[in-house]
Amino acid sequence: MIGAFVPERPRFAAPEKVAALNDDVARDEDPTLTGDLLEIHFMSERGGSQDIWASRRADPGSPWETPTVELLEKLNSAENEDTPAISNDGLRLWFFRGGEQQTGIWMSERASRGDPWGAPLFVEALNPGHEDGTQAMNAHVDLPELRAVVGLNGPETQGWDLAIASRDSPEDAWGEFVPLAELNDAGDQLAPFLFDDGRQLFYRSGDDLFWARRPGPNDAFEAPEALEELNSPDARENDPYLSPDGSVVFFSSERSGGTDIYEARRIAP
């Protein structure tokens, strides 16, 4: 209908394992990329604990370099770090840290892409209810940094539920988190990735990836659809990241027997 916002669900070719990023034994997941697709951060257990690793490449058609933790010394600690989400320009990184002190969403910044990450800070605004036992993880801040979606688990949730907060500009404080009640159910909803000015969302429900849309950024989401071509019937898929132009999706999957990072090219409508 003319004037109506009715996008079709994005569809993708068969996923392929990103061999250069994966370790044969360790769990590798939570991929997040800079907007130019030249730098990727992800969680890996190859160092013996859950840490954030990174890799670069010369251009989107070049192979990834060997992953390293060289510039992430201040991010990784004796605690577990995972579910990183990097800003479009690559200068801010939100991630989950679990441990004895202030479990939840932390953020680090750096002056340039070649600099090491600075000492991270616990983000009070992205950890709603943490004083009362609510845990937040899997934070995703959208491209213009005006909306943040997290997974929450606490006294008021059904398990892991999705919730969203907004602000008018990146300099403003985050508003109150609002549960995405139309998408939450008795299972776990996690790994959100919001795009298209807040009108489309990828996320994990149970063991599969789903897509949902809404007419406007303040409307309720319509019934979600499974991303069938990305989901494997006997494995968990997780952690979707969609490139800014929508041409490629990265995610993690257990289909190979371990947990590895995959990518899939979008099929033109």
Side-chain angles (χ1 to χ4, degrees):
M1 182 182 299
I2 295 176
F5 177 77
V6 189
E8 293 186 3
R9 175 176 78 77
R11 299 184 184 277
F12 298 92
E16 297 182 0
K17 186 188 294 189
V18 188
L21 299 178
N22 296 310
D23 183 270
D24 291 338
V25 178
R27 183 161 61 104
D28 301 297
E29 59 184 17
D30 307 320
T32 180
L33 289 85
T34 51
D36 57 12
L37 306 185
L38 301 185
E39 188 173 348
I40 186 170
H41 287 64
F42 60 97
M43 190 286 291
S44 179
E45 293 182 335
R46 68 189 68 190
S49 62
Q50 290 183 200
D51 291 325
I52 300 173
W53 289 64
S55 178
R56 301 176 187 236
R57 58 185 176 181
D59 59 71
S62 297
W64 290 102
E65 298 173 359
T66 302
T68 179
V69 291
E70 181 181 353
L71 299 178
L72 294 90
E73 180 180 0
K74 292 183 179 179
L75 293 188
N76 295 319
S77 68
E79 313 289 358
N80 289 329
E81 285 81 26
D82 60 15
T83 64
I86 198 167
S87 62
N88 188 59
D89 61 9
L91 302 183
R92 290 163 298 287
L93 186 79
W94 297 267
F95 65 98
F96 173 83
R97 173 178 286 173
E100 296 182 358
Q101 297 182 346
Q102 292 183 309
T103 291
I105 308 302
W106 293 64
M107 189 190 79
S108 177
E109 297 183 280
R110 59 184 177 181
S112 76
R113 297 267 288 271
D115 288 323
W117 288 103
L121 298 174
F122 184 76
V123 187
E124 291 278 349
L126 297 184
N127 291 283
H130 68 92
E131 304 93 340
D132 301 319
T134 296
Q135 184 172 312
M137 71 179 304
N138 264 151
H140 173 248
V141 179
D142 70 351
L143 193 66
E145 300 185 26
L146 301 181
R147 300 172 186 87
V149 192
V150 300
L152 298 178
N153 189 337
E156 304 298 323
T157 69
Q158 306 172 77
W160 284 103
D161 288 348
L162 298 178
I164 188 169
S166 302
R167 58 187 179 182
D168 292 330
S169 78
E171 290 73 35
D172 292 331
W174 290 108
E176 293 291 325
F177 272 89
V178 178
L180 295 178
E182 65 275 20
L183 301 180
N184 295 323
D185 59 30
D188 289 336
Q189 283 71 48
L190 275 169
F193 187 90
L194 191 68
F195 59 104
D196 189 22
D197 193 29
R199 297 181 295 183
Q200 298 188 62
L201 179 75
F202 287 166
Y203 69 102
R204 173 173 70 82
S205 181
D207 289 339
D208 292 330
L209 298 180
F210 284 80
W211 167 80
R213 70 181 180 196
R214 56 185 178 178
N218 297 315
D219 296 319
F221 282 96
E222 299 171 2
E225 297 181 28
L227 292 166
E228 296 175 348
E229 63 273 26
L230 301 184
N231 295 324
S232 178
D234 300 317
R236 168 175 287 184
E237 275 65 55
N238 210 354
D239 317 309
Y241 167 89
L242 184 68
S243 63
D245 64 0
S247 65
V248 60
V249 63
F250 289 78
F251 65 102
S252 65
S253 176
E254 297 177 350
R255 68 189 64 193
S256 64
T259 304
D260 295 308
I261 296 171
Y262 286 75
E263 66 176 325
R265 295 287 169 179
R266 186 169 179 175
I267 298 173

